[in-house]
Structures are given as structure tokens and as C-alpha cells.
Amino acid sequence: MEAPNPAVPWDRDELTVGDLAARSGVAVSALHFYERKGLITSRRTSGNQRRYRRETLRRVAFIRVSQRVGIPLADIGAALDTLPGDRTPTAKDWRRISQAWHDDLDARIEQLSRLRDHLTDCIGCGCLSLRRCALTNPHDELAEAGPGPRTLLVEGLEPDGA
Amino acid sequence: MEAPNPAVPWDRDELTVGDLAARSGVAVSALHFYERKGLITSRRTSGNQRRYRRETLRRVAFIRVSQRVGIPLADIGAALDTLPGDRTPTAKDWRRISQAWHDDLDARIEQLSRLRDHLTDCIGCGCLSLRRCALTNPHDELAEAGPGPRTLLVEGLEPDGA
DNA sequence: GGTTGACCTCAACTTTGGTTCAGGTTAGAG
DNA sequence: CTCTAACCTGAACCAAAGTTGAGGTCAACC
């Protein structure tokens, strides 16, 4: 039950790009792309074909989950760079780097909740054109992070209250 | 106090693209872009310059808020298309279309919350490569919507457990 | 030992949401 | 009437996250 069976692709200790694609659900072209970006690495055979360590499957899964969370690839790459290079990452390593996403998620959930709670009344009431609206206030924490427009909604406002 | 003063740009009943940009905080180039996409409209002067109705300010504010919520421009445009064309939209009209975003937000907040709650233990424990993980399960509601990868994490999985 | 599917690289193309630039026109203040 | 800021169009460019295609090589089954 413990001995790998080399006839079965997922039991070999190295994976071809096709194996990795099948196992991870990620297209071969995307894996090439991740490799160009330095998110994953491979050794090459004498015939210049890629061979991935099984561990890479873990990395790819982490990449996909992180993308689900909304993290850009560059940030995911930066996180992966903090994993130890000299040994296989442990569960603890993965826990550490996923903790950052957890905090990020917390922040974004809070942000979206506020947005949701102000949305209907703000759009409905007309305050969108006003200075005080929670959705347009540049000093609101809402402004700080997350995807979407970086500049705030209203920059040059009424010189005097409407 | 109610009579518009035409010497003041924001009191005129039509806005130039520059006025609209200043008042909405959106770049002129972006307004042109929105117009090409059909999200806003203008009449043209004899000299081919754009003139916007004041109402357009409301539309632009709606567009920006919607983008903050994470809605793509195409969807925003579709929502705007449901506004009455023959009269100025009322507060009720705006409330109706913002309600859709509210529901969308609810769904995405719920999604992100689940993601958050499973994230650390899933990434930490190794189940990312397994079939049952909430984060990788194609039949999970998580799969249904939101930005990020459309295809699920794992398509071709182990033929047998663990 | 040949055939075929999987692999290789590099370049070009896709979408979204714009910005920037060049070259030319208009509007309104003085 | 003139000057200048603001406006116009169209094309090119940007970033992210890949996909697609052309042209060529590798490997493994029979």
C-alpha cells in the first residue's frame, strides 16, 4: 500500500507537464506560464522535457486556491518565495503562508460587507453625488485595498453642500 | 437658492466632459471610454463637443460604485440598460438596480467567508490534493460564481483515496 | 524502427479597463 | 479678433493571466 507503482503516472516520483496538468486541473500552457513567472520550477530531461517533483502539485494547488481568494500571481509568487528552498515545505510552512491570505480575506470581507450595507440606500438616496457618503469618502477604510478602481469616486466635489 | 447660476459650471444644466470628469473624479479618457461602451451618452454641440445631462453624473457615480463592488463594466452596462429611456430615473429605479448588486455581494461575501474558514486548515493539512476538500470540490457552491479561475482546482483526481 | 501523441520554443493574440500621444478643432475670455 | 485652454479622433500602448498556433523534437508502444 505504500510502495509506488511506476506504471501509474501519479505514483511516479516525477511528473511530466501533462501529468501535472491532469492532476491539478490546470492547462499545460498555464503551467508553462507559471514556470516562466518563477512560481514553479522543473528539472529537464536529456531531451529538454520538464519533470516536476510531486511537491509541485502542492504548489499549483496553492496557486489556484490563492487565485480563488483573489490574490494576484505576483503576490502568490512572493509568498511562495518565502518557502524554504532547501527542503520540502511542511504543513507548518503552508499554514504560515496561508495565514496571510486569511488576514487579507478578513479585510476584504469586512470591506465588502460595509459596501453592501451602504449600497442600496446610497445609490437610492442620491448621496452618491455628495461629499459625506460612506461609499465616496476618500478617508474611509474602504479606500485602502482590494481590487477595483484605485482612485476614489469623487475627487472634485461640490464647493458647498448640495 | 434654487435658481441655477450659469456662471458656475455645476449649476449649468449641461456638463462638458471636463465638468463631468471634475465632478465625478473620473478621467476624461475614461468617460470617453464609457461612452464608446454605451454606458453613458451625450449630445454633441455644433462644434462636435460632448454635452452631458446632469443626470449622467448619477450614472457615472453608479458605475464607479459598481466597479468597487467588483462588477465588470459589461454587467454594469446591462443593468443601466434596464433604466427607463424616456424619463429621468427615479430613486426607486436606482434602488431597484442596486438591489441586484446587493444580492451579488451577499453571495460573494458568503463565498469568501467559507473560503476563509477552510483556507488555513486545507492548505496546511495537505487535503488540497484530495477529492473531498471544500476548496477543491467542484460541486461546492464556491464553484459557481465570482472572479477568479472558472475551472476548478482539481479535475482529474486520484482514482483512489489519499 | 516507425508512427503517433506528448513535448519543446517563440511569437502573436485575447480580454478588461483604461491611458497616452499625435495631430487637428472649438469655445470663450479679453 | 485673437489666443489659449479645452475639446475632438484614432492609434498605440499598458498590465494581468493566460491561450493559440507554427514549426520542430522526443519517447514509448507495437
Side-chain angles (χ1 to χ4, degrees):
Chain A
M1 257 211 173
E2 285 282 313
N5 171 4
V8 185
W10 41 82
D11 257 16
R12 288 196 285 260
D13 58 346
E14 282 192 320
L15 302 170
T16 69
V17 70
D19 294 337
L20 185 56
R23 287 264 286 155
S24 67
V26 172
V28 170
S29 62
L31 294 173
H32 285 180
F33 179 77
Y34 294 159
E35 196 166 329
R36 275 205 306 288
K37 292 285 172 181
L39 296 172
I40 57 178
T41 52
S42 61
R43 83 170 179 88
R44 298 301 181 107
T45 64
S46 57
N48 196 37
Q49 297 199 353
R50 291 171 178 82
R51 290 297 179 268
Y52 295 97
R53 287 185 297 168
R54 290 178 57 77
E55 189 193 316
T56 308
L57 199 44
R58 206 52 156 353
R59 277 178 95 91
V60 174
F62 176 76
I63 293 167
R64 301 305 281 192
V65 170
S66 301
Q67 286 191 301
R68 279 279 286 288
V69 171
I71 314 286
L73 279 190
D75 295 359
I76 299 170
L80 288 172
D81 284 346
T82 72
L83 288 175
D86 53 345
R87 57 173 173 79
T88 296
T90 63
K92 194 170 178 178
D93 289 318
W94 290 111
R95 217 154 28 230
R96 175 179 54 74
I97 78 174
S98 59
Q99 181 62 44
W101 292 179
H102 191 288
D103 297 345
D104 187 285
L105 266 175
D106 268 345
R108 278 193 297 125
I109 287 168
E110 230 242 291
Q111 193 180 124
L112 284 179
S113 300
R114 287 151 161 278
L115 214 35
R116 175 192 54 191
D117 295 340
H118 289 289
L119 191 61
T120 307
D121 33 309
C122 266
I123 291 178
C125 79
C127 67
L128 276 180
S129 57
L130 297 182
R131 215 199 254 100
R132 298 188 207 309
C133 176
L135 292 178
T136 61
N137 185 347
H139 302 306
D140 196 293
E141 297 89 324
L142 287 173
E144 302 314 333
R150 264 74 178 92
T151 59
L152 258 303
L153 288 167
V154 179
E155 215 100 328
L157 277 161
E158 295 87 334
D160 215 85
Chain B
M1 260 220 172
E2 285 284 313
N5 171 6
V8 185
W10 40 84
D11 257 17
R12 286 194 284 262
D13 58 345
E14 283 192 322
L15 302 171
T16 68
V17 70
D19 294 337
L20 185 56
R23 289 264 287 154
S24 66
V26 171
V28 170
S29 61
L31 295 173
H32 285 178
F33 179 76
Y34 295 159
E35 195 167 331
R36 275 206 305 288
K37 293 285 173 182
L39 296 172
I40 57 180
T41 52
S42 59
R43 83 171 180 86
R44 297 301 180 108
T45 65
S46 58
N48 196 36
Q49 296 198 356
R50 291 172 175 82
R51 290 297 179 268
Y52 296 99
R53 288 185 296 168
R54 292 178 57 77
E55 188 194 316
T56 309
L57 199 42
R58 206 56 157 350
R59 277 177 94 93
V60 174
F62 176 76
I63 293 167
R64 300 306 281 194
V65 170
S66 301
Q67 285 191 301
R68 278 280 285 290
V69 173
I71 314 285
L73 281 189
D75 294 358
I76 299 171
L80 288 172
D81 284 347
T82 71
L83 288 175
D86 53 345
R87 58 173 173 79
T88 297
T90 63
K92 193 169 178 176
D93 289 320
W94 289 112
R95 223 162 14 239
R96 176 179 53 72
I97 78 174
S98 59
Q99 181 62 46
W101 292 182
H102 191 289
D103 296 346
D104 187 287
L105 266 175
D106 268 345
R108 278 193 297 125
I109 287 168
E110 230 242 289
Q111 194 181 121
L112 284 179
S113 300
R114 288 150 161 279
L115 214 35
R116 176 192 53 190
D117 295 341
H118 288 290
L119 192 62
T120 307
D121 33 309
C122 267
I123 292 178
C125 79
C127 67
L128 277 180
S129 58
L130 297 183
R131 215 200 253 100
R132 295 186 209 310
C133 176
L135 293 178
T136 61
N137 186 348
H139 303 305
D140 196 292
E141 296 91 325
L142 287 173
E144 301 314 331
R150 265 71 179 93
T151 58
L152 258 302
L153 289 168
V154 180
E155 213 100 326
L157 278 163
E158 293 87 333
D160 215 85

